[in-house]
Amino acid sequence: MYKVLVSACLMGRKVRFDGRAKTSGHPVLERWRAERRLVPHCPEIAGGLAVPRPPAEIAGAAGAEAVLDGAAAIVTPEGQDVTGQFVSGARAALETARSQGVRLAVLKDGSPSCGTRSVYDGSFTGAKVTGPGVTSYLLSDSGIPVFTEDEIDAAEAYLKSLEHEEPEEPEIPFWGLGADS
């Protein structure tokens, strides 16, 4: 049975910057929970950030790849650099995914960690730019597809496609043995 990494806030855990959850009642998540497929994870907590905490955004809308390359920072409205915690949390999410046999992720869109389709642009005005957060980028770049909380049906379809793939026949080496052997 394949596992699914899921943002802890979507599972009702109060780990968001404001101390709240963004609980999803999607029936697929509920079924996956009952099947023990879900691996809840909060990259910000894993990276050492507290709850509550100031909001943070990728400065200058530079993008997750720039953050991971050390060319951009994730900052709070007061200018505190929290890049290290976000990168550490992203790496922890990847390690958790690998150690648990995760094959896909469902993450909360918008944050500089879990944003999948868009993240806030660094201006702290509510404006967004297209692109992933650092955790979403790192997971995707490592071959783990990431879906938003609005794409759970697509995530389920992807998981079903994985489970219905026929296992490959093992290759049996031909050693050149004759018919007499």
Side-chain angles (χ1 to χ4, degrees):
M1 173 175 49
Y2 295 124
K3 300 279 184 139
V4 178
L5 188 77
V6 63
S7 290
C9 65
L10 293 175
M11 301 312 302
R13 296 189 184 166
K14 296 178 179 183
V15 294
R16 289 177 46 87
F17 75 95
D18 57 7
R20 296 185 301 161
K22 284 286 187 173
T23 308
S24 172
H26 198 289
V28 170
L29 287 182
E30 293 304 318
R31 188 175 72 254
W32 286 348
R33 182 195 316 242
E35 293 170 352
R36 300 178 156 277
R37 287 182 187 271
L38 296 179
V39 179
H41 186 84
C42 176
E44 290 95 337
I45 300 300
L49 294 171
V51 176
R53 58 187 171 273
E57 298 183 6
I58 300 173
E65 187 174 12
V67 171
L68 290 165
D69 288 344
I74 300 175
V75 298
T76 67
E78 296 77 30
Q80 179 186 4
D81 187 332
V82 289
T83 307
Q85 291 93 329
F86 277 82
V87 170
S88 178
R91 290 183 179 140
L94 179 58
E95 179 56 36
T96 296
R98 286 178 173 161
S99 71
Q100 295 292 317
V102 164
R103 296 294 297 269
L104 69 139
V106 175
L107 303 180
K108 177 72 183 106
D109 205 23
S111 85
S113 280
C114 295
T116 301
R117 304 291 173 245
S118 65
V119 296
Y120 291 99
D121 72 355
S123 67
F124 295 94
T125 62
K128 290 186 177 182
V129 294
T130 301
V134 292
T135 298
S136 184
Y137 180 89
L138 191 60
L139 291 170
S140 294
D141 194 50
S142 298
I144 299 171
V146 180
F147 299 85
T148 72
E149 72 275 15
D150 296 323
E151 300 170 331
I152 294 172
D153 292 329
E156 178 184 38
Y158 177 77
L159 185 62
K160 283 181 179 179
S161 75
L162 289 176
E163 292 178 338
H164 288 97
E165 289 177 357
E166 293 295 320
E168 290 186 27
E169 291 292 322
E171 187 173 318
I172 300 172
F174 175 72
W175 299 109
L177 300 175
D180 298 0
S181 305

